[in-house]
Amino acid sequence: MIPRHQTVLLIVLLLASAAMGTVLWKQFRRAHERLLRGEATVPTEAPLVAPDQPATLMVANDADNTVEPRVLTLPLPQDSEARARALLGQLFEIDAAPDATHPVPGGPDSIAQVFLLPIPGANGKAAAEPPLLAVVNLTGSFAGGHPSGIEAETLTLRSICATLNANLPRIEQVRFLVDGQPRPTLAGHADLTRTYLAGPTEPGSGTRP
Amino acid sequence: MLDAAHGGDDPGAKLGAQAEKDFALALAGRLRSLLVARGMDVVVTREADVDLDADHRAEIANHAAAAACLSLHATLAGANGGPSVHLFLSSLPATKDVGLLPWRTAQSAWIERSIALAGVLNAALNAAGIPVALGRTPLAPLDSMTCPAAAVELALPPFADAHQASEAANAEFVPKVADALAAALVEWRSSESLPGRNQAGEPQP
Ligand SMILES: [Zn+2]
């Protein structure tokens, strides 16, 4: 038989470890909250989200195969990549709405990332502001849920390219990835293996304002 | 040359109970019959539910040296839109240099003829009261075809039945589109065989 004093000791130790665990968990939670509050109030960092400002979203319409500008006022990040992602998120929210003219399920989370890279070998622009290639990384669930069709898929790509160029005019080319990987087509039709032109389609077709 | 898009492991769009690959094959069969009945020679890319990549489709088209190449697709029409036709051309810019054509962009030497073909198809569909949306896009088999080429995508309400156009709208709409396309292709061939119009590129102004 186990002596009575050992049983008592075991129970006391178990209770003590449970109490210590609770205290540690509460301290961790409090520290985490402090950390979050602290990050948001560091005075030397620029605000992550700027005040509301106008943005032009190029919204697709399946009925007439067009992409039309829609000007909204949005809180947009200062950083170009975050800004591009936020703009496309807003565009996909419009497409995911019940009354969408180009219905595509998914919404703002359909964009995993947008990367901006200087276009290699591009010239004729001031070196400080080289034209950019946007790499748009879509989620697999967005591509998987996208309606299959030449018009529907082409319109999605057109509206992405036009929205990026309308708000970030340095973006002249766009490439697409799905879940970080190259993919032959968006949903069976539109070619995702090539680089799309986001700016003027013909060289020398006028300068941008 | 008629190309029933998709096939095999690539079903294309889901049209309710029917897959795009099956619909495209049936439409190609219907259109082929209409054209053969009018005395035209027709080459098809596939006659069964088989895998066929874009290069192979373009090879068949280019080997046939066809007067017109149509790639047949179908997609679901929007909830608030009736049935319609999307007419797509390659987005390649035109080139006059027909000396040596890179495979991926061979269509650029034919794009002006393709635009003319699309005009004839559009006019015939409009005459039949069928709404048409025109567009241009990079599309792998089209971009490599050395013939006047267009992709015809029917936007349809969903099929309730896997084997036939049981939806009243589709039962009426699909034959109407096929008839209009056949009439347009007959007209196109007669204009193609006119003297001076059988070269790539429009006559210079
Ligand atoms: Zn298709």
Side-chain angles (χ1 to χ4, degrees):
Chain A
M1 282 299 290
I2 304 169
R4 183 182 166 80
H5 73 273
Q6 284 191 356
T7 312
V8 170
L9 186 62
L10 183 67
I11 291 170
V12 167
L13 284 173
L14 279 173
L15 286 173
S17 63
M20 281 163 66
T22 311
V23 169
L24 277 174
W25 174 247
K26 280 186 175 163
Q27 283 185 345
F28 164 76
R29 290 283 301 274
R30 232 174 278 146
H32 188 63
E33 279 164 22
R34 268 202 305 275
L35 193 68
L36 288 180
R37 274 198 305 274
E39 265 191 359
T41 53
V42 170
T44 50
E45 265 184 36
L48 285 175
V49 172
D52 284 8
Q53 49 196 295
T56 306
L57 300 181
M58 302 300 283
V59 181
N61 186 341
D62 287 352
D64 53 5
N65 191 34
T66 56
V67 175
E68 294 289 341
R70 191 181 299 180
V71 179
L72 298 180
T73 307
L74 300 172
L76 288 173
Q78 295 288 346
D79 171 67
S80 293
E81 290 181 341
R83 197 183 183 84
R85 183 173 184 268
L87 286 161
L88 296 183
Q90 195 68 37
L91 180 68
F92 286 173
E93 192 167 313
I94 290 173
D95 287 345
D99 59 343
T101 53
H102 172 62
V104 179
D109 296 336
S110 306
I111 299 279
Q113 292 104 12
V114 179
F115 305 109
L116 299 180
L117 313 165
I119 294 171
N123 46 23
K125 296 276 163 86
E129 297 232 316
L132 299 172
L133 165 74
V135 179
V136 176
N137 186 16
L138 301 164
T139 63
S141 60
F142 175 77
H146 196 286
S148 176
I150 302 172
E151 189 199 61
E153 295 172 44
T154 302
L155 273 175
T156 294
L157 302 191
R158 270 175 65 195
S159 88
I160 291 172
C161 293
T163 296
L164 289 174
N165 183 257
N167 297 282
L168 297 155
R170 282 173 62 203
I171 298 178
E172 293 186 359
Q173 297 179 9
V174 184
R175 283 196 72 92
F176 293 92
L177 299 174
V178 175
D179 280 343
Q181 300 292 321
R183 179 171 158 127
T185 65
L186 179 55
H189 298 89
D191 190 344
L192 293 191
T193 64
R194 57 186 82 203
T195 304
Y196 285 83
L197 296 179
T201 47
E202 287 167 309
S205 67
T207 50
R208 278 187 296 274
Chain B
M1 198 291 303
L2 300 176
D3 170 34
H6 311 284
D9 290 337
D10 170 17
K14 283 196 202 77
L15 312 170
Q18 200 169 129
E20 182 187 356
K21 63 174 184 177
D22 299 323
F23 176 84
L25 188 61
L27 178 62
R30 176 185 278 270
L31 194 49
R32 178 194 208 171
S33 303
L34 291 172
L35 293 170
V36 169
R38 288 165 167 84
M40 292 177 73
D41 295 326
V42 179
V43 174
V44 293
T45 52
R46 66 182 177 98
E47 290 185 87
D49 183 15
V50 292
D51 281 303
L52 202 59
D53 65 22
D55 283 352
H56 199 170
R57 291 172 199 271
E59 278 167 23
I60 293 169
N62 298 352
H63 186 73
C69 299
L70 294 192
S71 194
L72 302 171
H73 291 257
T75 188
L76 276 185
N80 41 7
S84 65
V85 171
H86 307 148
L87 209 49
F88 274 85
L89 303 176
S90 163
S91 57
L92 291 168
T95 172
K96 291 285 177 204
D97 178 15
V98 291
L100 188 64
L101 295 174
W103 176 255
R104 290 264 282 172
T105 59
Q107 172 67 201
S108 59
W110 294 82
I111 195 69
E112 291 184 1
R113 301 299 298 135
S114 298
I115 291 168
L117 171 65
V120 173
L121 295 170
N122 185 33
L125 291 164
N126 282 331
I130 297 162
V132 180
L134 291 160
R136 296 185 65 171
T137 189
L139 210 56
L142 241 50
D143 283 359
S144 299
M145 286 182 186
T146 54
C147 49
V152 180
E153 181 175 77
L154 278 65
L156 303 167
F159 285 98
D161 188 291
H163 299 293
Q164 57 183 352
S166 59
E167 294 286 320
N170 290 343
E172 188 192 327
F173 181 73
V174 175
K176 199 158 82 167
V177 172
D179 287 347
L181 293 176
L185 290 170
V186 169
E187 185 192 331
W188 174 255
R189 190 191 54 173
S190 56
S191 72
E192 279 282 281
S193 53
L194 292 176
R197 292 294 300 275
N198 54 359
Q199 301 286 312
E202 296 284 358
Q204 291 292 334

